[in-house]
Amino acid sequence: MKSMKSIQNTGQSIKLKIGLFMLLVLSFVASYAQNNLTQGNDVLSQKFKATDTLFKQPYVDVDEWRDKPVKHRYIHGGFKGTSSKFSFYFPQKEKYQGHFFQYITPFPDSENGSQGRTGEEDKIGFSLTHGAYFVETNEGGNFSFSNPSKSDPSLAAYRVNAASAEFSRVIARQIYGGKRPYGYAFGGSGGAYRTVGGFESTSGVWDGVVPYVLGSDQAIPNVFTARMFAMSVLKEKFPQIIDALEPGGSGDMYAGLNQEERTALQEATKMGFPIKSWFGYKTMGTQGFSVLYQSIVRIDSKYFEHDFWTLPGYLGHDSPGLFLKGRIQQRSVIKALINSDQAATLGLKKPVSAEDRGTAGAASKNIGDVQDGMPVAFQLQDKLKDVYFLGGDLIIKSGAAAGKVLMINKIEDDKVVLGPVDSTVVAKLKTGDSVQVDNSNFLAIQTYHRHQVPGKEYYVWDQFRNADGTPKHPQRPLLLGPLFTKGAAGVIPTGKFKGKMILLESLWDREAFPWQADWYRTKVKANLGDSLDNHFRVWFTDRALHGDVSIEDDPTETISYLGVLQQALLDLSDWVEKGIAPAASTNYKVVDGQVVIPPTANERKGIQPVVLAKANGSKRAVVKIGETVTFTAFVDVPERMGKLVTAVWNFDGLSPDFKKKISDLHGWNFVTSGVFPVSTKWVAVNKTGSRVKLTTTYRFSKPGTYFPTLRVASQRQGNANTSFTRIQNLDRVRVVVK
C-alpha cells in the first residue's frame, strides 16, 4: 500500500498534468478562435463592398453570446486604418424581423454607450425584444469639445455610421440569411442633425429615420443667448411669472414687470422659448452652450473685445448701466487645485453619470479632455464678487500657462469651476499662479442673436427687422448657425431625402425651440410637395423637454418622450415594410414664435394622450384643512393609438428628500419611486375605450398651496406590463388649503 505522502504527490502530479492539459486546450481554443476571426475577417472584407473607400477593411474582434438584457449575439469591431468602431447586437434567429435600429449619438462617443441601461432607457433591450438588431458606433471617436478640430467632422457627421450600417447587413445576412435588412436610424439633439445629415447625404443606407429634438441651421448659438438674456434680467421675477402660468393662475406673465423685464421676456418668447418651461429656471443653466462658447469667441473676437462695448447699436454701448451690477473682473491667485472627487464632495460639480453618456443633454456636462486626477476647479485666495453668474473666463496672468483662457461654468465664494477645457492648459496651472475671473464676454454674448438676423424664412427674427425688412441692429459679418450645423451634420439640412421620416419635437424644449420642426417641415414640403404625407410626419410631445433621460426635472411638471420615440421606430418600420401609414402629423400653428396645439387628442392628432384634470370642478379650488376635495379627469387617447394603462396621482408635491434625489442622484420611476403614490381606476366613456374618466378624493392636512398632478401613460396594445412604448402625459390643478 502506498504511503499517504506518495498518494498526495501522485494527486498533485495528476492535477499539474490536468492543469497543463487544460492550458494547452485553452491555448488551442484561443488560437483557433483568433485564426477563425482572422479568416472570418478576410471573408467579410471580401463580401463587403464599401461605398466609402476609407472603410473598405472591416474587422471583428469580439463575437460572443450574451444573456443580458436578453439573449443576443454581440459583435464588436471596426475599420482598419481608422479609429472607427462599432457594436452590433443580434437577437436570436426566431425573434429577428428583418431590420435594425441604429442609435446616432449627439457627438462622437463610445460604441458601447448604450450598454448597461435599464427600463425605458434600454435601447438595446427595446430593439432586441422588438425583433431588430441594434447598431451603435463611436462616430470616429477621439472627440474634444474644447478642441473640435481634433476630429474629422465628416467622419463624426455620418460616414462612420453609414459604413457601419452597411457592414452590419453583411453580418446579418451571414447570421440569418434572407434578404437585405431594412435599416432605421434615430438620434436626438446633435444626433438629430447627424441623423438628418446622414439621411440626406446617402442613398440606400437607411430606409427611414426618426430624428428628435432637432434644431434649425440658425439654432446655435441663438436659442441659448436669447434664453440667457432673459434669465439674467428676470432672475428675481420668475416666481411670479411661473405662478401666472400655473393652473389657476392669472395667465398674464407680464403683470408686474418693468419695461426692461417685459422686453427681455417678450424677446425670448418670440424667439421661441416655450413659456411654460420657465418652471425650471433654477436648474436649467446654460446646458450645451458651454461647449460652444469658446468657439464663438474665437470666431468673432472683435465683437467681444471691441464692438459690443464701444459701438452704437450694441447693448454694451447703448445701456452700459445694465452690466454694472452683474459684471465681474477680479484678479486673484490660485490657492488650491480641486479634482473631480473633491469637487463632488464640496458640492461644486456633479460627476458625469453612466446615464448621461450619449444622451441628448450630455454635451452640457462634458469637461473637455481633462484626465482623471486633474483639477476641475480651483480655490482662489480671495472671495469673489457676488454676482448672478451664468459663465465666464479664467484668464491666466502668470505661470506656465500665462496668456491662456479657460472657461468657467460656476463661481462660489472663493472657488471657480471649469467648463469644457483643454487638458494641456490645465496641466500647466499651479498654486500661486495669478488669474482673473471675468464674465464680460459671457454678458456680451447674451444679445448676440440680435446681430445674427438670417433670412425671412426664420420668422422668429421678425422682431429684429424694420418695416422694410432690414435689421434693426448692426449685424456681424458672419452667421454662425450654419457653421455649427454643418460641423454637426456634415451638411446644411435641405429637406431632400429618399425614404421616410418621423420627426419628433418637444413642446417644452429649451434647447431646440419647437418652431424649428416647422422650419424643417417647410423644407421637406418644398421638396416633396403633394407627396409630403407619403414620406414625412412631425409629432409634437407636450410637456417634454430636450433631454432623453427623463429624470433631471420635476416629474410633476414634465414627462419623458422615450415612449413616443420607441413607438415611432415601430411605426416607421411598419410604414416602410408593410405600407401601414403612421398617425397623422400633429396639428399645430406657430404664433409669435410659440407652437400652439389644439386642446383635444383627436384635434391634435399624433399619438400622445391628452389629460384634463379638475379639482371640485375647476382648475383652482380653495378649501379648508381636512375638507374633501373631489378630483376628476378625462384622458383621451387619439383614435386607434392605444389605451390608457397607467394613471397615478401626486397630491402633496415633492418631498425635500426627493428633490435632492433628482438633483444629486439621477433616477426615478413613476410606478415604483413613490412620487405618484395614489393609483386610480377609470371607466371608459366611449365604445372604443379611447376616452376615459377618473374620479378620486383627497383631504389635505396642512395649509398651503398645492399642485396635485395626474400622470398617465397609454400603450398601443394596452399592455400595462411593458417598460417600452408607454406614451406619457400629465395635468395639474391648484388647491389652496386654508
Side-chain angles (χ1 to χ4, degrees), residues 105-176:
T105 56
F107 52 87
D109 207 331
S110 169
E111 72 278 11
N112 295 316
S114 293
Q115 293 182 13
R117 298 178 184 272
T118 59
E120 185 182 41
E121 296 166 28
D122 183 3
K123 300 177 183 70
I124 300 170
F126 163 73
S127 301
L128 296 173
T129 56
H130 288 84
Y133 70 85
F134 181 73
V135 176
E136 188 170 33
T137 82
N138 70 346
E139 294 179 324
N142 301 321
F143 183 81
S144 169
F145 280 114
S146 61
N147 190 358
S149 62
K150 289 183 181 179
S151 302
D152 181 340
S154 69
L155 290 174
Y158 60 84
R159 288 172 62 195
V160 176
N161 289 322
S164 299
E166 291 180 312
F167 181 59
S168 78
R169 288 190 169 100
V170 174
I171 302 288
R173 295 187 73 175
Q174 185 181 62
I175 294 173
Y176 303 116

Side-chain angles (χ1 to χ4, degrees), residues 14-300:
I14 292 171
K15 287 181 180 178
L16 180 60
K17 290 177 181 178
I18 291 173
L20 289 171
F21 175 74
M22 290 303 297
L23 283 173
L24 287 171
V25 170
L26 290 173
S27 176
F28 172 78
V29 169
S31 176
Y32 176 81
Q34 185 60 49
N35 289 336
N36 200 38
L37 270 178
T38 301
Q39 293 171 6
N41 284 331
D42 292 339
V43 172
L44 290 171
S45 292
Q46 292 170 9
K47 288 184 176 180
F48 179 53
K49 306 301 180 184
T51 303
D52 190 330
T53 56
L54 180 63
F55 304 101
K56 62 184 179 181
Q57 288 187 290
Y59 66 87
V60 170
D61 54 12
V62 179
D63 184 346
E64 63 189 21
W65 282 94
R66 294 182 174 181
D67 293 327
K68 293 182 179 181
V70 296
K71 190 174 180 62
H72 68 279
R73 185 173 173 180
Y74 171 69
I75 291 180
H76 177 277
F79 296 92
K80 293 180 181 179
T82 78
S83 58
S84 305
K85 297 179 181 180
F86 54 74
S87 287
F88 303 150
Y89 306 77
F90 294 96
Q92 293 172 288
K93 192 168 185 177
E94 63 271 19
K95 297 183 182 297
Y96 177 58
Q97 295 182 14
H99 53 238
F100 68 83
F101 296 146
Q102 180 172 1
Y103 178 53
I104 297 178
T105 56
F107 52 87
D109 207 331
S110 169
E111 72 278 11
N112 295 316
S114 293
Q115 293 182 13
R117 298 178 184 272
T118 59
E120 185 182 41
E121 296 166 28
D122 183 3
K123 300 177 183 70
I124 300 170
F126 163 73
S127 301
L128 296 173
T129 56
H130 288 84
Y133 70 85
F134 181 73
V135 176
E136 188 170 33
T137 82
N138 70 346
E139 294 179 324
N142 301 321
F143 183 81
S144 169
F145 280 114
S146 61
N147 190 358
S149 62
K150 289 183 181 179
S151 302
D152 181 340
S154 69
L155 290 174
Y158 60 84
R159 288 172 62 195
V160 176
N161 289 322
S164 299
E166 291 180 312
F167 181 59
S168 78
R169 288 190 169 100
V170 174
I171 302 288
R173 295 187 73 175
Q174 185 181 62
I175 294 173
Y176 303 116
K179 300 182 297 184
R180 166 192 175 275
Y182 292 95
Y184 309 100
F186 65 104
S189 191
Y193 282 125
R194 300 179 196 282
T195 300
V196 170
F199 201 38
E200 291 187 353
S201 301
T202 62
S203 179
V205 177
W206 298 285
D207 301 279
V209 294
V210 182
Y212 56 101
V213 293
L214 175 70
S216 70
D217 63 355
Q218 300 292 343
I220 300 171
N222 304 298
V223 296
F224 295 105
T225 59
R227 107 177 184 192
M228 287 157 49
F229 181 58
M231 290 169 68
S232 294
V233 174
L234 298 164
K235 53 188 177 292
E236 296 175 359
K237 296 297 179 69
F238 279 124
Q240 69 188 57
I241 292 170
I242 295 163
D243 185 75
L245 297 172
E246 285 279 24
S250 69
D252 182 4
M253 65 179 181
Y254 294 104
L257 302 183
N258 62 33
Q259 187 57 48
E260 177 191 333
E261 294 162 343
R262 177 181 289 267
T263 297
L265 181 56
Q266 186 178 60
E267 185 171 304
T269 301
K270 288 187 174 183
M271 280 293 288
F273 185 95
I275 58 175
K276 291 187 178 180
S277 204
W278 284 121
F279 82 90
Y281 76 97
K282 289 183 179 179
T283 58
M284 71 172 67
T286 61
Q287 290 294 324
F289 179 76
S290 61
V291 304
L292 310 167
Y293 164 68
Q294 289 173 310
S295 294
I296 298 166
V297 174
R298 283 195 294 267
I299 293 170
D300 195 4

Side-chain angles (χ1 to χ4, degrees), residues 318-392:
D318 296 348
S319 301
L322 291 176
F323 302 97
L324 293 177
K325 185 178 179 181
R327 192 176 184 183
I328 179 173
Q329 294 175 298
Q330 186 172 339
R331 293 283 292 262
S332 190
V333 173
I334 294 177
K335 181 178 180 181
L337 313 180
I338 302 172
N339 64 31
S340 58
D341 290 339
Q342 294 167 330
T345 301
L346 293 169
L348 296 173
K349 186 174 180 63
K350 302 170 192 172
V352 179
S353 70
E355 289 83 358
D356 287 319
R357 293 294 302 273
T359 65
S364 63
K365 301 181 181 180
N366 189 283
I367 191 64
D369 52 4
V370 170
Q371 307 301 312
D372 290 342
M374 292 183 68
V376 299
F378 300 103
Q379 183 181 18
L380 306 181
Q381 284 188 357
D382 305 290
K383 186 175 181 179
L384 296 166
K385 179 182 176 182
D386 184 16
V387 299
Y388 182 72
F389 190 86
L390 288 173

Side-chain angles (χ1 to χ4, degrees), residues 484-499:
F484 285 108
T485 302
K486 193 168 184 179
V491 297
I492 303 298
T494 63
K496 296 178 181 179
F497 57 80
K498 294 180 180 179

